């Protein structure tokens, strides 16, 4: 579950950037996205009144085949670089439109 100030907007943002679909749209302010309507797992976005503070309770890491292209895809969609004290790391830390941090890792060697 992902807490959100605007679960409709944040679920659409993640669905768009991941190429997923929104499968529930607003029952009790909850929005679910999945890779396809009949594929699990999914992510559930729920409205909460408080803003994000400190560290995420859930932190997503993505390991694409092309790290640079994946970072550019997220940035083009509205993500921003985030400094969480990672220093000189092999991954790139970004934040979604509500400030939730996630990382784009280097691809594993074949």
């Amino acid at each position: 579950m992902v807490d959100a100030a605007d679960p409709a907007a944040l679920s659409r943002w993640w669905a768009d950037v991941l190429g997923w679909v929104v499968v529930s749209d607003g029952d009790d302010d909850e929005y679910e996205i999945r890779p396809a309507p009949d594929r699990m797992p999914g992510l559930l976005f729920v409205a909460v009144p408080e803003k994000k503070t400190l560290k995420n309770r859930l932190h997503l890491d993505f390991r694409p085949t092309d790290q640079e292209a994946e970072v550019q895809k997220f940035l083009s969609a509205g993500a921003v670089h985030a400094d969480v004290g990672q220093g000189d790391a092999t991954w790139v830390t970004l934040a979604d439109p509500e400030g939730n941090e996630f990382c784009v890792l280097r691809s594993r060697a074949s």
Side-chain angles (χ1 to χ4, degrees):
M1 181 170 69
V2 179
D3 291 348
D6 186 347
L10 194 59
S11 65
R12 282 191 305 270
W13 187 86
W14 276 104
D16 288 347
V17 78
L18 294 175
W20 288 17
V21 296
V22 177
V23 294
S24 65
D25 57 0
D27 294 344
D28 300 320
D29 290 325
E30 294 182 356
Y31 295 77
E32 183 179 358
I33 66 170
R34 296 182 188 167
D38 58 349
R39 277 194 59 210
M40 296 292 277
L43 290 173
L44 183 66
F45 295 80
V46 179
V48 295
E50 65 276 358
K51 292 185 177 190
K52 176 194 171 293
T53 58
L54 303 173
K55 184 179 178 184
N56 297 347
R57 290 188 175 187
L58 171 69
H59 180 93
L60 299 174
D61 285 340
F62 298 94
R63 189 179 300 278
T65 55
D66 183 339
Q67 182 188 40
E68 186 176 327
E70 193 76 358
V71 167
Q72 288 307 311
K73 176 183 83 171
F74 280 115
L75 292 173
S76 295
V80 295
H81 284 277
D83 182 0
V84 294
Q86 67 270 27
D88 187 22
T90 59
W91 60 86
V92 178
T93 305
L94 301 173
D96 72 15
E98 288 201 12
N100 301 299
E101 296 95 2
F102 60 97
C103 291
V104 180
L105 309 176
R106 288 187 321 175
S107 33
R108 291 182 189 217
S110 301

